[in-house]
Structures are given as structure tokens and as C-alpha cells.
Amino acid sequence: MAAPTDIPPGTQTLARGLAVIRAVADGAGDLRTLVEHTGLGRSTTHRLVQLLVREDFLRHVDGGYRLGPALIELGFKALHGNPLPVVARPVLEELSAQVQDTVHLGVVDGDSVLYLEKLPGSRGAEMRSRVGHRMPLTRTGVGMALLLDSPDRWSDTYVADEDRVTVPLAGKRGDVAEFCARMAGYAKMGAAMDLEDNEPGIRCVAAPVRDASKAIVGAISVSATRPYMPAARMRGLVPVVRRAAGRISSAMGYRDG
């Protein structure tokens, strides 16, 4: 990653410090790797790291660096500053108990899904998703649900995701036209389906959450391994997930009609 250049005057040091934090978040754990990742000089990187450690934005652990407790504190404040996770939590807990599978809540963050909640199911399925994790929009049920109102984005987002994602799939994804036709069907249904688009063997049903302006502000999903998600069950889960998403939408101020 190159050092930031397009920044407002007088904020270069701040931008460099943020670049170091992002590099650590991406897995750069030692000084040499941080220098390579940020494009900053070694002495500059070392000074920034020392300050970030002193202020608890980074931790020095086993000879390397990790994100620090100050970021955890700020993260929780940011999370609870958004009413969606707070409003959604009781509904997600009820849904999780009802379906016994993993339940997610996510929002759009740039060109990705950002997961705000994950309630693991009781069937022992392991999934790569986690709170704070980002995944491609067109590879996840939550992401496709977030895009249901944006047909102008379907094609470009699909192409961009295919170019940047290398995770192997269980089956063929199809081309752009097939994906757009699939999304058009999901838009009519008011729900989306991940047919092992993101992880081999993992399927899910997702539905959008709306606010008072009727805009999609989030999406929820139910995910399980293929044996627990045959096509018939996925179809049966559509009204269940839509109902739960509707309850959250109502609490966010959405009114149908």
C-alpha cells in the first residue's frame, strides 16, 4: 500500500498514523512489514508505532504489533452509536432460537458487506464471517439483499467482485447477465439467496432492513451447511427471514405503503 498522498494540508501525520493502524488490522505485525505495507520510512513508522502503542491504539505482543484496547473501546462506541444493532439484537436472538442456524446482520461499507452481528447456530457449522469482517457484496446473501434496490450497481459490482476474489466455489457462478437476472428475481421476492457463492457448502437466505425513508440500511440472513439448507427449506425460510427483517424495519421507523 502506498503512503497516502491525496490528503488535506496539515493532516499528513494523522493520515500516516491511520495507515499504520489499517496495516496492522490487515495483518502487518512487525516493523519491516509495516514499512512495506504503508510505504513510509522506517524511522517515521517506528515513531508512529511508539505513539500508537503509548496511546493504546496498538499493543506490542510477542515481538509484533496488534490492535489495541483503545480501538476496541471506540469500536463499541461506534457500534452502539448506530441504532440498527441495538434494535435488531432481540429479533436476531429470537430468529436464531427458532431456526437453530447462524444469523447475521450486515450493512454496506463501500464495496463490501460489514458484519455487525453474528449469532452462531447450534449445528456446529464453521463460517468465515465474524463481527467487523468484510466480504464482497455479490458473494454473500446479506450483500445481495443490500443491493436489491440498486439494479444500476448489480453489473459493475459483480464484475469488480469477480476480479478481486479468489476463494474457490462449489459450483459455477455464471456470467454478469445470469447474475443480474438472478438479482431481478430476488428483488421481486424481497429476499436473496447465497447458493454457495461465498463458501463451498454454505448456503443462506437474506432479507433487507429498511428505515423510515424506505431505504435499505441493513440486511439479515440465516446460514447453514448444505445438508440443512436444501432448496425446499430455503424457499420456506424466505417468509421467516422477511418477517424478522420487517420487525427490525418497523423498529427503525419503516412503514409500508
Side-chain angles (χ1 to χ4, degrees), residues 88-100 103 119 244 247:
R89 181 74 190 197
V91 179
L92 297 179
E93 289 176 345
E94 287 183 28
L95 181 61
S96 178
Q98 177 184 356
V99 299
Q100 300 183 323
V103 172
L119 281 64
R247 289 175 58 196

Side-chain angles (χ1 to χ4, degrees), residues 117-136:
E117 284 280 13
K118 177 182 180 179
L119 281 64
S122 59
R123 306 183 202 262
E126 289 294 329
M127 301 175 194
R128 291 187 296 120
S129 58
R130 63 182 185 275
V131 174
H133 190 50
R134 290 172 175 80
M135 287 188 179

Side-chain angles (χ1 to χ4, degrees), residues 51-188:
L51 174 61
L52 292 167
V53 169
R54 191 182 74 189
E55 297 297 323
D56 286 336
F57 287 94
L58 297 180
R59 306 184 278 137
H60 195 221
V61 181
D62 297 330
Y65 299 101
R66 301 289 184 272
L67 298 181
L71 289 172
I72 297 174
E73 179 185 357
L74 292 174
F76 274 110
K77 287 181 178 178
L79 184 64
H80 289 288
N82 180 349
L84 180 57
V86 177
V87 167
R89 181 74 190 197
V91 179
L92 297 179
E93 289 176 345
E94 287 183 28
L95 181 61
S96 178
Q98 177 184 356
V99 299
Q100 300 183 323
D101 296 310
T102 300
V103 172
H104 295 100
L105 168 69
V107 295
V108 171
D109 184 39
D111 58 358
S112 302
V113 175
L114 173 63
Y115 287 97
L116 300 184
E117 284 280 13
K118 177 182 180 179
L119 281 64
S122 59
R123 306 183 202 262
E126 289 294 329
M127 301 175 194
R128 291 187 296 120
S129 58
R130 63 182 185 275
V131 174
H133 190 50
R134 290 172 175 80
M135 287 188 179
L137 285 163
T138 67
R139 285 282 188 109
T140 61
V142 167
M144 286 183 272
L146 289 165
L147 289 172
L148 289 184
D149 285 357
S150 306
D152 56 311
R153 295 187 61 188
W154 295 348
S155 177
D156 289 346
T157 305
Y158 176 87
V159 171
D161 284 349
E162 293 304 287
D163 286 343
R164 69 190 176 99
V165 175
T166 58
V167 178
L169 299 175
K172 185 177 180 291
R173 281 259 285 171
D175 60 17
V176 178
E178 288 177 86
F179 176 77
C180 291
R182 180 178 162 189
M183 286 293 294
Y186 291 159
K188 290 180 181 178

